[in-house]
Amino acid sequence: MPGFGSAEIDELYKMFYPRQWFFRHVAQTSPSPLALEIVRAEGSRLTAADGKTYLDGIGGISVCHLGHGHPRVRAAIHQQVDAYLHVMVYGEMVLSPQTSYAHRLASLLPASLDCVYFTSSGAEAVEGAMKLAKRRTGRPGIAAFRHSYHGSTQGALSLIGDEYWRSAYRPLLPGIQEMEHGSLQDLFRIGTDTACVVAEVVQAEKGVVPSSAPWLQALRDRCDAIGAMLVFDEIQTGFGRTGTLWAFEGYGVVPDILLLGKALGAGMPLGAFIASRECMEALSTDPVLGHITTFGGHPVSCAAGLAGLEALLTEGHLERVSGKGQLFRERLQHPMIRDFRQAGLLMALDFGHADVNQRIIARCLAKGLLTDWFLFAPQCLRLAPPLTITPEEIAEACQIIVEACTEEENVSESQTETAV
Ligand code: PMP
């Protein structure tokens, strides 16, 4: 694409070439991106440049828990934009959006999780937590689980539970112990050199696999016995996704450090690692500025996140998650669906084969429903709609999926007949 350097011509190009610019000038993460050009998003609907609308079945991968353009979130953003945007690197000034949000989060968490370090993303929260655990325990090792995803920075990538995704980027962090999620035996690999164990309560990218309560308790007990810190990554499961505000609530097991992200900013970029005040102090001395960030806890993100949290709690969305999850479960009946795993409104439809899944995802998209697959479960279709999705929209989404399954079934059958 030639660059003419003229504003008028640039405007003309903007009308005709966004897709070409996307492929030419925006860095790609796969050879076959979705490349849908979205011009508007409201509630559970996305509108594309060609006027076609899509039901959002994934909410920006568990980010848009209140749907798109929630009025209270938008109002809070406008208000904060008018007051101030960025004034100083994180941690130096009293910024009311940060302090109010930290205070509110602390009020909704166990007493031992009362100090919030805001970051700009989930992976940065993982990085901060690993540093905090090393600093606090004086130990070098980190343990994590097979088929868990914690982010794409080099530290977080070191924890990724699948060699396919990490091998090209070695050397990564040393001293990482990989364990099988759910294995009692593997807990004995947590040793006296382990600073922390990073775990998901519900393994999201494995295709929605919840922990068993006795195993999670055994993990907690092992960490206590050996002096390792327990870190729960609730970046994908926090803020009501699984039916309770935090997924760990249902288990009665409290981590030493909690990681939040995604829905934390209600559509704005925000992450956090949360620990006790006493523990977090380790990052402010010896050395001073033990963990710093320029944009972490951006005032506009914090204002949006707090407004989103209040909306979640006061508008009844949280209470309705399990009922809505039940509606999905009842309506998603089809012989092509070999397994249906669910934690509230985080759902995996297992089709047994990645290529079948890809074709069903494509059929759903053509029929106006946006879905996705999982990093460690490519044979599973991901559903993580806004928690605000209506029963009518659930019915519509399920009908599209069932139709897509039937079409796929018919094609596979006719291919088998032709082969015979
Ligand atoms: N942990 C989990 C469980 C996640 O799902 C993600 C994002 N998919 C991350 C960490 C990383 O968050 P981010 O992309 O904001 O860095």
Side-chain angles (χ1 to χ4, degrees):
M1 184 80 52
F4 291 103
S6 139
E8 288 78 16
I9 293 179
D10 275 358
E11 274 312 305
L12 265 178
Y13 269 110
K14 263 187 221 164
M15 286 166 62
F16 296 114
Y17 289 110
R19 280 181 66 84
Q20 284 86 335
W21 286 346
F22 172 74
F23 284 108
R24 173 73 180 80
H25 298 297
V26 176
Q28 302 295 315
T29 56
S30 85
S32 52
L34 203 52
L36 260 186
E37 190 189 347
I38 299 301
V39 292
R40 194 161 175 78
E42 216 169 341
S44 305
R45 302 260 169 202
L46 309 170
T47 306
D50 62 2
K52 186 168 175 182
T53 60
Y54 295 87
L55 195 49
D56 186 354
I58 47 175
I61 319 279
S62 303
V63 170
C64 315
H65 63 325
L66 296 172
H68 301 276
H70 190 286
R72 287 167 76 172
V73 175
R74 278 163 59 176
I77 290 173
H78 285 301
Q79 206 181 335
Q80 188 53 43
V81 165
D82 290 342
Y84 57 87
L85 297 176
H86 177 80
V87 288
M88 182 59 180
V89 292
Y90 174 83
E92 288 296 329
M93 289 185 176
V94 181
L95 304 176
S96 71
Q98 283 178 359
T99 54
S100 304
Y101 201 11
H103 178 255
R104 187 68 177 119
L105 286 167
S107 77
L108 295 164
L109 286 165
S112 56
L113 297 171
D114 64 347
C115 190
V116 183
Y117 192 118
F118 285 115
T119 61
S120 305
S121 69
E124 276 180 75
V126 174
E127 299 288 339
M130 289 194 288
K131 283 173 67 182
L132 179 60
K134 281 173 153 180
R135 174 76 177 77
R136 173 84 170 164
T137 60
R139 300 175 179 186
I142 315 257
F145 293 93
R146 193 160 160 68
H147 293 149
S148 269
Y149 178 77
H150 300 292
S152 206
T153 53
Q154 293 204 56
L157 187 66
S158 305
L159 305 184
I160 200 168
D162 193 326
E163 188 56 22
Y164 170 76
W165 303 96
R166 62 189 170 208
S167 66
Y169 299 101
R170 288 194 181 283
L172 292 167
L173 278 185
I176 306 294
Q177 179 70 63
E178 186 176 294
M179 303 185 296
E180 199 61 47
H181 201 270
S183 160
L184 284 171
Q185 208 179 344
D186 274 12
L187 297 183
F188 289 99
R189 296 187 183 194
I190 304 167
T192 49
D193 60 347
T194 309
C196 67
V197 181
V198 183
E200 290 174 286
V201 174
V202 176
Q203 279 197 296
E205 295 304 320
K206 191 176 180 179
V208 189
V209 182
S211 302
S212 80
W215 179 78
L216 208 64
Q217 185 60 55
L219 171 62
R220 174 73 273 181
D221 293 346
R222 177 66 183 165
C223 287
D224 288 342
I226 207 91
M229 296 181 80
L230 180 57
V231 182
F232 280 168
D233 180 343
E234 289 236 23
I235 289 167
Q236 199 161 154
T237 52
F239 296 92
R241 176 58 50 194
T242 66
T244 47
L245 188 55
W246 321 116
F248 74 80
E249 259 176 73
Y251 288 85
V253 176
V254 176
D256 300 299
I257 306 177
L258 178 66
L259 307 177
L260 298 177
K262 293 193 180 273
L264 175 68
M268 295 293 289
L270 192 62
F273 57 104
I274 305 180
S276 70
R277 169 90 236 160
E278 188 215 349
C279 173
M280 202 68 92
E281 270 163 15
L283 293 178
S284 59
T285 55
D286 195 21
V288 65
L289 306 180
H291 192 70
I292 47 178
T293 164
T294 297
F295 288 122
H298 193 283
V300 179
S301 299
C302 286
L306 178 56
L309 177 56
E310 297 305 352
L312 176 71
L313 297 173
T314 58
E315 293 174 4
H317 305 301
L318 186 57
E319 290 75 13
R320 289 196 278 270
V321 170
S322 59
K324 289 179 183 180
Q326 183 63 29
L327 281 182
F328 273 105
R329 180 173 278 275
E330 281 162 15
R331 288 178 176 266
L332 288 174
Q333 306 279 343
H334 196 282
M336 293 292 286
I337 304 172
R338 296 194 185 177
D339 194 14
F340 179 83
R341 291 186 296 278
Q342 178 178 38
L345 284 174
L346 181 60
M347 292 161 276
L349 280 65
D350 196 329
F351 296 116
H353 294 286
D355 49 353
V356 173
N357 189 32
Q358 285 305 330
R359 288 197 295 270
I360 291 176
I361 288 171
R363 288 183 198 283
C364 287
L365 192 66
K367 292 170 184 293
L369 172 68
L370 179 63
T371 63
D372 198 10
W373 49 284
F374 291 90
L375 219 49
F376 309 119
Q379 79 284 8
C380 293
L381 181 145
R382 179 199 306 264
L383 280 177
L387 308 185
T388 50
I389 190 168
T390 64
E392 294 73 30
E393 288 166 339
I394 293 175
E396 185 186 334
C398 293
Q399 191 182 335
I400 289 176
I401 293 169
V402 168
E403 278 174 19
C405 288
T406 302
E407 283 175 15
E408 177 61 25
E409 190 178 34
N410 292 341
V411 170
S412 329
E413 273 171 13
S414 66
Q415 277 170 353
T416 317
E417 277 166 23
T418 318
V420 171

